[in-house]
Amino acid sequence: MALTDEELVAAFQRGDARAFDELVSRWDRKIHGAIYRVVGADEDTRDLCQEAFLKAYRGLGTFKQEARFSSWLYQIAINVCRDRLRRRRGKVAVSLDELEDAREGRLRAGSPSPLELVEARDLRHLVAAAMATLSAEEREVVILKEYQDLTFPEIAEALEVPLSTVKTRLYRGLSQLRHRLERQGVHGNSPVPAPIQ
């Protein structure tokens, strides 16, 4: 039976370095995804992910399990992203993952048609552009809720803000995204051509 995050933290604090390796293995993909969505630069993502795990490694010895490990780790990752974005002086480019099949040009049986791939890529770019217009606080909450599937309490813990603030930022962020995308001709889950101006 796999150990919980909290059990792995306790094992690491007792001197078992392999416990941290297990935590990295368990959380690397999610933290990488969150960082990528916040900073939007693939070349920076791996470095920032390593920086976040290094900070976690250094701080885990004194980590008090008053918060969930996952919330604490997301908090570190978000802070690493905030530091990088501050160094960029507000030049935030949010990008979403490109479709692997579209990039490699592979078509398999049952896979989307080239037109569907182009439409999906275009929709991703519209969403990325709309995400870039959100405030940093709204963007962080939207990413943690909609892309990382964190609960409201987990987001509040990770960002160190009240639960009501998380809900407000999410509501405002999603409302702004919806309005911006509707102005681009996107309604519901499928793109609709924008009207000719």
Side-chain angles (χ1 to χ4, degrees):
M1 179 180 226
L3 297 175
T4 67
D5 290 344
E6 289 68 28
E7 291 169 332
L8 288 169
V9 168
F12 176 80
Q13 290 175 336
R14 288 190 306 269
D16 182 1
R18 291 175 298 168
F20 187 76
D21 293 340
E22 176 62 29
L23 289 167
V24 171
S25 174
R26 187 176 289 179
W27 287 99
D28 182 59
R29 185 178 169 124
K30 284 190 173 250
I31 295 300
H32 185 272
I35 289 172
Y36 180 76
R37 286 182 174 92
V38 172
V39 299
D42 198 37
E43 63 275 2
D44 291 341
T45 302
R46 180 52 42 202
D47 291 342
L48 293 174
C49 194
Q50 289 175 354
E51 185 179 337
F53 279 110
L54 181 60
K55 286 182 182 230
Y57 180 83
R58 289 178 177 155
L60 198 55
T62 58
F63 173 69
K64 293 177 179 49
Q65 295 191 24
E66 296 164 356
R68 291 175 47 135
F69 171 78
S70 58
S71 300
W72 180 74
L73 186 58
Y74 275 113
Q75 179 183 27
I76 291 170
I78 292 295
N79 286 336
V80 165
C81 291
R82 287 174 178 168
D83 291 344
R84 177 62 57 95
L85 293 174
R86 269 193 290 274
R87 287 192 298 267
R88 283 190 192 168
R89 296 185 195 158
K91 296 178 183 174
V92 179
V94 175
S95 175
L96 301 177
D97 299 327
E98 292 295 320
L99 293 173
E100 189 66 30
D101 289 342
R103 249 186 299 173
E104 295 178 10
R106 289 181 284 150
L107 289 176
R108 294 180 291 245
S111 67
S113 71
L115 178 60
E116 289 169 329
L117 291 173
V118 169
E119 287 175 344
R121 186 195 65 222
D122 290 347
L123 180 58
R124 285 179 180 273
H125 288 296
L126 289 172
V127 171
M131 288 283 288
T133 65
L134 298 179
S135 72
E137 294 83 11
E138 292 166 346
R139 188 171 44 253
E140 290 167 357
V141 171
V142 170
I143 288 167
L144 292 176
K145 181 68 176 149
E146 299 300 323
Y147 292 98
Q148 300 300 313
D149 294 323
L150 268 65
T151 64
F152 288 119
E154 289 171 333
I155 296 169
E157 230 178 290
L159 298 179
E160 297 181 308
V161 296
L163 189 61
S164 60
T165 301
V166 170
K167 291 178 180 181
T168 300
R169 288 178 183 174
L170 182 66
Y171 175 77
R172 278 195 326 241
L174 291 176
S175 293
Q176 289 179 42
L177 281 176
R178 187 182 77 244
H179 292 305
R180 286 182 188 354
L181 291 171
E182 285 175 352
R183 283 197 302 260
Q184 294 292 322
V186 178
H187 302 278
N189 291 331
S190 59
V192 175
I196 297 174
Q197 302 285 327

